[in-house]
Amino acid sequence: MADIPLPSNFYSHNLFGIGCNDQGQIGPKSKILCRELTPIDENRFQNNIKSVACCRDALLILTADQNLYFRGKLKASDHIEYKFKAIPWRNDPMFHQDAIQGLTNSTIGLSEEPEIVSIHCSTSDFYLLMKSRSLFRYNGKDFIKVDPFHLNVKIICTYLESADAFVITTDDEVYFSNAQAPFAFVNFKPSSKIVGMSCGLIHELVHCEDNLYVRGDNNCCQLGLDNEDVKVINDFTSFKTDYPFSCSNIKMVRCGNYHTILATKDSRIFTCGKGICGELGNGEVHVEKHVWLEVLTLKQRVVDIFAGCHTSYVIAEDKTIYRCGRNYEKALLINDVDNQTVFIPIKFTRKLKQIVTGSLACILEFQHFVTLLPKVNLLLQRDTSPFSDIEIKTSTDRYLDE
């Protein structure tokens, strides 16, 4: 087993992709599969990237000077963008009206110029979370301002294989939308402040300060519960069960297709659910179901975790990436294995800025000036608040400030 070799242009580009390229997500039209790290960045934003987000078939980039670009395909469109296309969001007067209204109703130092603070992808829409705490969705043609929670969004949560989207407001109210339908209120009252949320293909988890709420399909134990007792949960529910961890010690949780990964504040990693490609990291394939199992303990502090469709990633403070699961066309950055059943590390000679993953691809951005030591700002299925005046302890850059 060996890590993939680095390309000869590794130090002259910052953004790379590897894996499936069937919708033009990471490479030219001529390459359906990219089996080596392939440069994605272009001169117009090569050293200017603020954040990256992706779903199954599309890649979205926000630059530091607030320009948006995407490539690939959204579910509602038959057209594939094989090169980055600019999204002229500033031309829409809705954003300027929103910024002015946010300035009128806020005391957090906004300006009349609209500003995007985070970007998110589902299979049907792109979501833009503004500094005013308003939310806009983009379906490939038009921008729509999302109601009913004007100027009140704290967390936006999407999944790379789904059209589902969740919003949590500053009042800890939860709203849900599917496939461009209006957001609807979810009848859920948490016992304490919501810290983070993650949604998978058919299950969701909400992490509060002292509790864990679960909803959805549990046929593979992906909710961490014995499925002989619980098959499907229709409403967010907290179970008084003997977890192998304390709920108050949870740092973050992420959902995949049929598995879930959880990190504690003392750097212990737990997984549960179905492990058909080794994504549980317990040394086995074809695991039909498993409740919470501790699979990894790190000496380094855990910065972020991610659950892809059939992959799991752990990012340590020293920028080491631990990964396991399906290595489709070397998307796990491993050279000679189909299914990686335990977490193995890889560490690059350049500073890793962020990593995102699609269904069958992996995208990495490296810091341009390699002598600097920046904050890591990973956006792996980001489900946390970007606002400095909200004390949310699941934002990656906040972990590094602790």
Side-chain angles (χ1 to χ4, degrees):
M1 183 189 311
D3 295 331
I4 61 167
L6 298 179
S8 58
N9 56 6
F10 181 64
Y11 291 97
S12 58
H13 291 270
N14 298 330
L15 191 66
F16 295 86
I18 187 170
C20 183
N21 185 51
D22 60 337
Q23 303 297 330
Q25 309 96 307
I26 60 175
K29 184 177 181 179
S30 59
K31 297 183 69 172
I32 297 178
L33 301 172
C34 297
R35 295 185 175 94
E36 61 181 19
L37 284 175
T38 303
I40 302 176
D41 48 358
E42 298 179 358
N43 290 334
R44 52 183 163 169
F45 53 76
Q46 185 177 27
N47 305 320
N48 189 31
I49 296 173
K50 179 178 179 179
S51 59
V52 181
C54 69
C55 62
R56 179 177 59 201
D57 298 328
L59 173 64
L60 181 66
I61 287 179
L62 172 66
T63 64
D65 53 1
Q66 292 286 294
N67 290 314
L68 274 176
Y69 301 93
F70 89 98
R71 64 188 298 165
K73 176 179 176 294
L74 282 174
K75 192 173 184 179
S77 173
D78 294 327
H79 180 67
I80 298 175
E81 296 289 348
Y82 287 99
K83 294 183 178 181
F84 279 105
K85 178 181 179 181
I87 303 175
W89 69 276
R90 283 193 182 94
N91 296 344
D92 195 315
M94 281 194 305
F95 289 97
H96 295 274
Q97 294 168 4
D98 173 76
I100 293 172
Q101 188 170 357
L103 180 65
T104 304
N105 298 334
S106 177
T107 60
I108 60 174
L110 300 182
S111 71
E112 293 186 6
E113 284 299 316
E115 180 180 344
I116 302 170
V117 294
S118 65
I119 54 177
H120 309 264
C121 294
S122 74
T123 56
S124 61
D125 298 278
F126 297 147
Y127 290 89
L128 312 180
L129 182 55
M130 311 303 294
K131 192 171 183 179
S132 64
R133 294 199 184 100
S134 293
L135 186 66
F136 290 82
R137 80 195 313 170
Y138 178 70
N139 59 14
K141 296 180 180 179
D142 304 304
F143 286 103
I144 302 169
K145 189 169 183 177
V146 177
D147 291 324
F149 28 80
H150 175 61
L151 300 175
N152 202 27
V153 177
K154 179 171 74 174
I155 295 171
I156 168 75
C157 180
T158 58
Y159 184 59
L160 58 91
E161 276 281 316
S162 170
D164 295 353
F166 287 85
V167 162
I168 299 175
T169 70
T170 53
D171 299 322
D172 282 337
E173 293 181 341
V174 180
Y175 293 81
F176 170 73
S177 172
N178 175 270
Q180 301 182 349
F183 276 85
F185 176 71
V186 177
N187 188 16
F188 165 51
K189 294 183 178 180
S191 61
S192 59
K193 189 175 181 179
I194 294 178
V195 176
M197 179 179 182
S198 185
C199 54
L201 189 63
I202 51 176
H203 70 296
E204 301 94 33
L205 284 83
V206 172
H207 168 210
C208 298
E209 290 178 330
D210 61 0
N211 220 331
L212 187 64
Y213 290 84
V214 298
R215 188 181 84 158
D217 195 301
N218 189 55
N219 283 326
C220 305
C221 301
Q222 60 264 53
L223 297 179
L225 306 169
D226 189 332
N227 71 353
E228 296 300 323
D229 302 322
V230 182
K231 296 287 188 182
V232 178
I233 302 172
N234 295 318
D235 300 306
F236 282 108
T237 306
S238 173
F239 285 82
K240 303 297 182 182
T241 187
D242 292 328
Y243 292 129
F245 48 81
S246 169
C247 288
S248 61
N249 193 37
I250 297 173
K251 185 166 186 175
M252 59 189 75
V253 61
R254 301 286 189 261
C255 300
N257 271 15
Y258 305 104
H259 76 293
T260 309
I261 178 171
L262 179 148
T264 63
K265 297 173 184 176
D266 54 353
S267 299
R268 300 162 65 201
I269 304 299
F270 295 83
T271 59
C272 66
K274 188 174 185 177
I276 60 176
C277 301
E279 57 265 45
L280 296 183
N282 65 339
E284 300 178 24
V285 292
H286 306 303
V287 179
E288 289 299 318
K289 59 182 180 179
H290 209 299
V291 295
W292 289 114
L293 175 71
E294 184 172 0
V295 293
L296 184 66
T297 302
L298 299 181
K299 294 180 180 180
Q300 290 278 343
R301 183 172 49 172
V302 173
V303 172
D304 214 334
I305 58 175
F306 184 74
C309 297
H310 301 292
T311 54
S312 299
Y313 296 82
V314 177
I315 316 298
E317 187 179 21
D318 65 353
K319 318 300 189 299
T320 301
I321 306 172
Y322 296 83
R323 70 276 197 226
C324 66
R326 187 181 183 188
N327 189 41
Y328 181 83
E329 300 301 335
K330 305 180 183 179
L332 280 182
L333 309 174
I334 306 173
N335 211 25
D336 53 1
V337 65
D338 293 328
N339 298 314
Q340 177 59 42
T341 62
V342 296
F343 283 97
I344 60 171
I346 182 173
K347 189 173 183 179
F348 293 97
T349 54
R350 295 180 64 185
K351 300 299 182 183
L352 177 67
K353 186 178 178 183
Q354 53 186 315
I355 175 175
V356 294
T357 180
S359 301
L360 299 170
C362 181
I363 298 156
L364 303 98
E365 184 195 358
F366 295 93
Q367 182 71 20
H368 175 58
F369 299 103
V370 297
T371 57
L372 296 180
L373 184 58
K375 292 180 182 179
V376 178
N377 183 27
L378 302 176
L379 296 174
L380 303 180
Q381 196 182 343
R382 189 180 179 97
D383 56 6
T384 57
S385 171
F387 303 109
S388 60
D389 61 331
I390 301 176
E391 293 184 1
I392 301 296
K393 287 297 184 182
T394 52
S395 175
T396 303
D397 48 358
R398 287 187 175 275
Y399 289 138
L400 295 182
D401 286 339
E402 288 178 354

